[in-house]
């Protein structure tokens, strides 16, 4: 797992991100590790993930310095190159990032000395009835962030193309794939199929398919469930549907979700991890499914997803419950689990756990 080359994805608008990036470069120099910036903003046009990692010399570790948005850009690059990704947390919510900025050198030491775990995260990919493109006039109106949008997704040449199976697109989504309305005064009408069977035809502001990782992003804001990032599932969530059934549906990882724009609907935009990538017309469709590749996320210790959920979502206890007693921060156990519980994922008991019982 030795690191030979590092690629940096930096949020250039933050002084602390620039300072942390310099610390990474210095560490790389001291350890004779190659280092290259992967800056998607300064070259006048956005490039494909393959072009970006090629220009950076095929790094085997991508380090992102920013928030979750910066991590998503780094994840796209890492998945393309089967590299590991390490997120340095400089954001406001930080469900994806792992390391506080002051600890970046210690984190790199841990990676080099193999004192880490590599967490495998599900990714989404897709097929479509046609190649995705953004009309030129729309690109001028909807520029992504501080620079041009990503180019249209490439076609995956290694995939078979059948009469009914559509075009295999080189798309990688860590969070979600979203189909949403373009006209403010008109919802989009979409037939939604799960595992090849019609679930329902929706009239809604948007419809999205999320990974477990993405369940705490747009899907959560739309009322979807929180799913452990260790789970294997696809989460379908409608956004402001004009119908009685407004629930999310959690599908198995081998059950694709297809969305077909109905004949008299308006056009719809397709966004992948928050980036507009194309426009669908009535009759067009996309099929979203689990990608064969995975994201390899560096973790320095056990992932405290539920502790982070409580902290970042500012969860508060019910007043009636507080009146009835104070809950311990961890399940109060002081001894090793019995045999029938040994397979369960639980945090290690703290040394002072007996005080909490």
């Amino acid at each position: 797992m030795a690191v030979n080359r590092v690629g940096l994805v930096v949020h250039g608008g933050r002084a602390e991100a620039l300072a942390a990036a310099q610390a990474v470069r210095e560490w790389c120099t001291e350890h004779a590790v190659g280092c290259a910036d992967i800056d998607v903003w300064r070259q006048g046009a956005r490039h494909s993930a393959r072009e970006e990692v090629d220009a950076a010399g095929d790094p085997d570790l991508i380090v992102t310095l920013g928030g979750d948005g910066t991590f998503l850009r780094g994840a796209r690059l890492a998945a393309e190159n089967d590299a590991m990704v390490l997120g340095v947390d400089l954001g406001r919510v930080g469900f994806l990032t792992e390391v506080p900025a002051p600890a970046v050198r210690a984190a790199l030491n841990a990676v080099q000395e193999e004192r880490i775990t590599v967490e495998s995260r599900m990714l989404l990919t897709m097929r479509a009835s046609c190649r995705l493109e953004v009309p030129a006039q729309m690109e001028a109106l909807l520029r992504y962030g501080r620079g041009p949008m990503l180019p249209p997704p490439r076609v995956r040449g290694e995939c078979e193309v059948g009469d009914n199976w559509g075009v295999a697109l080189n798309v990688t989504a860590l969070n979600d794939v979203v189909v949403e309305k373009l006209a403010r005064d008109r919802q989009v009408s979409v037939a939604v199929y799960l595992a090849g069977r019609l679930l329902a035809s929706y009239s809604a502001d948007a419809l999205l398919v999320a990974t477990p990782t993405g369940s705490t992003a747009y899907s959560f804001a739309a009322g979807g469930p929180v799913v452990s990032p260790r789970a294997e599932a696809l989460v379908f969530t409608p956004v402001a549907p004009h119908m009685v059934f407004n629930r999310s549906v959690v599908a198995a990882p081998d059950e694709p979700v297809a969305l077909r724009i109905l004949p008299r609907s308006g056009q719809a935009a397709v966004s992948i991890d928050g980036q507009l990538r194309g426009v669908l017309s009535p009759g067009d469709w996309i099929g979203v499914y689990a990608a064969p590749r995975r994201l390899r996320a560096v973790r320095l210790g056990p992932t405290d997803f539920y502790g982070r959920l409580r902290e970042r979502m500012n969860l508060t206890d019910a007043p009636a419950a507080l009146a009835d007693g104070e809950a311990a921060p961890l399940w109060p156990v002081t001894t090793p689990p019995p045999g029938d519980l040994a397979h369960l994922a639980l945090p290690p008991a703290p040394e002072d756990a007996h005080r909490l019982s």
Side-chain angles (χ1 to χ4, degrees), residues 145-215:
R146 295 177 289 119
M149 294 185 296
L150 285 171
R154 295 180 291 114
V155 175
R156 286 180 284 144
E158 76 279 8
C159 294
E160 296 180 13
V161 178
D163 292 338
N164 299 316
W165 295 101
V167 180
L169 298 177
N170 192 44
V171 162
T172 299
L174 176 59
N175 269 355
D176 48 43
V177 175
V178 180
V179 171
E180 54 193 323
K181 68 178 185 179
L182 284 178
R184 183 179 181 184
D185 62 346
R186 181 176 184 179
Q187 291 186 312
V188 64
S189 294
V190 181
V192 177
Y193 298 81
L194 270 72
R197 176 73 65 178
L198 178 66
L199 175 68
S201 293
Y202 288 77
S203 178
D205 283 357
L207 304 111
L208 64 91
V209 183
T211 64
T213 298
S215 70

Side-chain angles (χ1 to χ4, degrees), residues 1 3 27 31 86 99 103-117 298-301:
M1 199 183 295
V3 174
W27 182 92
H31 292 79
L86 172 67
V99 178
V104 65
R105 290 181 63 93
L108 291 169
N109 288 334
V111 173
Q112 193 75 333
E113 296 164 10
E114 301 186 14
R115 293 183 286 106
I116 61 170
T117 58
V298 172
R299 292 290 178 252
L300 304 183

Side-chain angles (χ1 to χ4, degrees), residues 4 15 33 40 52 60 76 78 90 93 105 162-163 175 180-181 197 209 216 276 323 330 335 347-348 352:
N4 298 309
V33 172
V40 297
E52 289 172 353
D60 42 26
R76 180 175 63 91
L90 295 162
V93 178
R105 290 181 63 93
D163 292 338
N175 269 355
E180 54 193 323
K181 68 178 185 179
R197 176 73 65 178
V209 183
T216 52
L276 178 65
L330 295 176
T335 57
D352 60 346

Side-chain angles (χ1 to χ4, degrees), residues 94-97 304-313:
F95 265 103
L96 301 176
T97 49
D304 184 17
F305 172 71
Y306 300 106
R308 185 172 294 186
L309 177 68
R310 178 179 173 87
E311 173 191 352
R312 299 302 168 90
M313 294 299 183

Side-chain angles (χ1 to χ4, degrees), residues 9-30:
V9 179
V10 185
H11 191 305
R14 296 195 174 187
E16 61 268 37
L18 298 175
Q22 185 57 33
V24 174
R25 296 186 194 100
E26 292 171 357
W27 182 92
C28 289
T29 299
E30 295 167 9

Side-chain angles (χ1 to χ4, degrees), residues 39-55:
D39 194 327
V40 297
W41 302 115
R42 294 180 185 171
Q43 299 180 25
R46 297 298 296 271
H47 303 284
S48 71
R50 184 70 265 162
E51 290 170 327
E52 289 172 353
V53 295
D54 285 347

